[in-house]
């Protein structure tokens, strides 16, 4: 049988974890997480990481492997995930990758541009400039160094601006010139399965999951992590709002509503990204029979994932529309 990587993706809160466990048990294979925050230990509640019980059911990789202070990137994830896949495919014909971090999924499936690793001196100076001069100062410098990327970047996203400026300062080149978007060959088939729900149902699940996080101790977890709030690993939904509550910016009910609203907004961004990929076959998370039938067909057919007309060989499942409503 050909070596196949199943990629289970979808917006936050849609039900990837529960379904991934069922699929992995049925396929008798481990799970590779593609979640950029579940990599970090000590923050399981706010990242909705698999529970100890779930981790005991199926072997997981890339969950709770980093310290909060560790630097990590999509490029490093690509390198480590591909090396792990090469090893695991000697033991399994099928493996499962699941998560909602769009760039991490792209890194494994298509590869990402070879961007140089930033040294500590450049990183620390850029972070210092951001903290003391503000985002506008960094944007002005980016406009001078790389006007092309300046027009493309989300100017309200400090992480993206800082990263681009680090590259410019480190290499002396424009960040835009290093972004080739070339697709890399992989020695395995990639079968992408997307989970989607009507918007109202997804939002209901997101709101319910935030309430469950609070019941499970998110406030206590965030208080424990508050001294480390300046770390990039904690620039994360849930913690940012709780930190603002601790600092008196919000009361607790407002902070909780902010978490829900910002998570709903993030889910829309995820779907906007995923909908650009016509190799994803979309299903309801409740349609286990349909998903399994599709997997069995893909594992045993000789045709590539995409049919002659460029569409995935899967039922046409209507995706929820994206709008500006939180």
């Amino acid at each position: 049988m050909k070596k196949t990587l199943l990629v289970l993706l979808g917006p936050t809160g849609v039900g990837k974890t529960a379904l991934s466990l069922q699929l992995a048990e049925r396929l008798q294979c481990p799970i590779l997480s593609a979640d950029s925050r579940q990599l970090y230990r000590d923050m399981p509640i706010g990242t909705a990481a698999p529970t100890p019980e779930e981790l005991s059911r199926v072997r997981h990789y890339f969950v709770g492997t980093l310290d909060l202070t560790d630097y990590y990137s999509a490029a490093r994830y690509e390198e480590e995930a591909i090396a792990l896949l090469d090893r695991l495919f000697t033991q399994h014909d099928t493996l499962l990758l699941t998560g909602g971090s769009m760039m991490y999924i792209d890194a494994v499936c298509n590869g990402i541009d070879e961007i140089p690793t930033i040294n500590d001196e450049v990183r620390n100076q850029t972070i210092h400039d951001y903290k003391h001069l503000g985002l506008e100062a960094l944007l002005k410098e980016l406009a001078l160094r790389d006007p092309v990327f300046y027009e493309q970047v989300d100017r309200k996203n400090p992480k993206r601006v800082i990263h681009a400026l680090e590259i410019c300062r480190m290499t002396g080149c424009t960040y835009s010139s290093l972004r080739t978007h070339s697709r890399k060959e992989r020695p395995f088939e990639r079968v992408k399965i997307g989970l989607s729900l009507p918007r109202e149902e997804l939002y209901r699940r997101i709101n319910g999951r935030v309430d469950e996080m609070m019941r499970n101790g998110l406030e206590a977890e965030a208080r424990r992590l508050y001294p480390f709030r300046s770390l990039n690993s904690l620039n994360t939904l849930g913690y940012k709002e709780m930190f603002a509550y601790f600092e008196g910016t919000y009361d607790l009910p407002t902070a909780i509503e902010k978490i829900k609203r910002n998570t709903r907004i993030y889910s829309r961004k995820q779907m906007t990204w995923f909908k650009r990929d016509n190799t994803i076959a979309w299903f309801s998370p409740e349609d286990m029979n349909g998903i399994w039938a599709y997997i069995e067909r893909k594992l045993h057919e000789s045709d590539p994932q995409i049919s002659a007309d460029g569409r995935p060989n899967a039922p046409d499942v209507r995706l929820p529309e994206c709008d500006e409503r939180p």
Side-chain angles (χ1 to χ4, degrees):
M1 184 181 291
K2 61 189 176 183
K3 303 298 183 179
T4 303
L5 179 66
L6 297 178
V7 183
L8 183 67
L9 54 84
T12 184
V14 77
K16 297 184 294 296
T17 298
L19 187 57
S20 70
L21 289 166
Q22 295 180 58
L23 291 176
E25 288 174 331
R26 199 161 182 175
L27 292 163
Q28 296 185 342
C29 73
I31 294 173
L32 282 72
S33 171
D35 187 299
S36 64
R37 286 303 180 258
Q38 289 183 4
L39 276 158
Y40 294 95
R41 61 179 67 93
D42 298 325
M43 45 195 290
I45 299 174
T47 61
T51 65
E53 293 75 21
E54 291 168 336
L55 292 172
S56 69
R57 285 174 57 184
V58 175
R59 176 74 167 94
H60 283 69
Y61 294 91
F62 300 109
V63 174
T65 59
L66 299 178
D67 291 328
L68 294 175
T69 55
D70 288 340
Y71 172 73
Y72 207 76
S73 66
R76 180 177 165 188
Y77 178 75
E78 176 188 3
E79 179 182 354
E80 295 182 355
I82 293 300
L84 177 62
L85 288 171
D86 287 344
R87 178 166 63 85
L88 292 177
F89 272 131
T90 66
Q91 308 163 34
H92 303 272
D93 290 320
T94 305
L95 294 169
L96 179 61
L97 177 81
T98 186
S101 295
M102 299 84 78
M103 288 189 65
Y104 280 40
I105 292 171
D106 273 2
V108 172
C109 291
N110 305 319
I112 60 175
D113 296 325
E114 295 183 5
I115 303 297
T117 300
I118 307 302
N119 63 37
D120 290 341
E121 181 182 357
V122 171
R123 170 158 293 110
N124 293 337
Q125 183 61 53
T126 309
I127 294 296
H128 176 275
D129 292 346
Y130 169 61
K131 291 180 177 178
H132 292 85
L133 302 178
L135 183 60
E136 283 302 317
L138 269 58
L139 281 167
K140 289 179 181 178
E141 182 179 347
L142 182 62
L144 292 173
R145 288 179 176 267
D146 190 349
V148 173
F149 189 70
Y150 173 80
E151 294 298 329
Q152 301 170 351
V153 70
D154 178 357
R155 298 172 199 171
K156 295 182 180 179
N157 188 328
K159 184 178 179 181
R160 299 271 188 249
V161 175
I162 289 170
H163 180 62
L165 195 54
E166 287 174 340
I167 297 298
C168 294
R169 290 178 172 185
M170 177 83 179
T171 66
C173 302
T174 62
Y175 180 46
S176 56
S177 69
L178 299 174
R179 301 170 76 230
T180 63
H181 303 293
S182 58
R183 181 184 175 93
K184 296 179 182 177
E185 293 297 322
R186 297 299 191 206
F188 49 82
E189 300 290 332
R190 288 145 288 183
V191 176
K192 297 178 184 176
I193 299 166
L195 302 182
S196 68
L197 286 168
R199 183 190 303 113
E200 292 76 10
E201 173 62 15
L202 178 62
Y203 287 1
R204 185 188 68 78
R205 291 194 183 195
I206 288 172
N207 293 342
R209 189 168 77 165
V210 173
D211 289 334
E212 183 178 4
M213 286 178 175
M214 293 303 300
R215 290 192 295 270
N216 289 341
L218 177 59
E219 181 177 352
E221 182 176 87
R223 286 192 184 278
R224 175 171 52 81
L225 298 172
Y226 181 72
F228 311 100
R229 60 192 178 281
S230 61
L231 296 175
N232 181 62
S233 56
L234 289 169
N235 183 24
T236 303
L237 278 172
Y239 300 108
K240 293 189 295 184
E241 295 83 358
M242 292 305 295
F243 295 160
Y245 158 56
F246 300 155
E247 293 166 355
T249 305
Y250 310 133
D251 59 18
L252 182 57
T254 302
I256 294 171
E257 286 306 311
K258 289 283 186 180
I259 296 172
K260 293 177 180 179
R261 181 180 186 276
N262 292 337
T263 305
R264 296 193 299 265
I265 291 172
Y266 178 60
S267 74
R268 293 205 305 271
K269 292 180 179 179
Q270 289 174 298
M271 287 303 297
T272 298
W273 180 292
F274 290 139
K275 285 169 68 175
R276 297 182 301 198
D277 185 348
N278 68 356
T279 69
I280 300 173
W282 291 96
F283 296 86
S284 164
E286 316 299 334
D287 187 14
M288 181 61 176
N289 290 336
I291 292 170
W292 184 249
Y294 176 68
I295 289 173
E296 285 193 311
R297 178 158 61 87
K298 300 308 295 183
L299 292 181
H300 294 93
E301 70 180 12
S302 59
D303 296 333
Q305 181 174 344
I306 302 303
S307 61
D309 64 359
R311 295 181 178 275
N313 295 312
D316 181 16
V317 179
R318 182 176 176 82
L319 297 178
E321 296 294 330
C322 292
D323 64 11
E324 295 305 315
R325 291 182 294 148

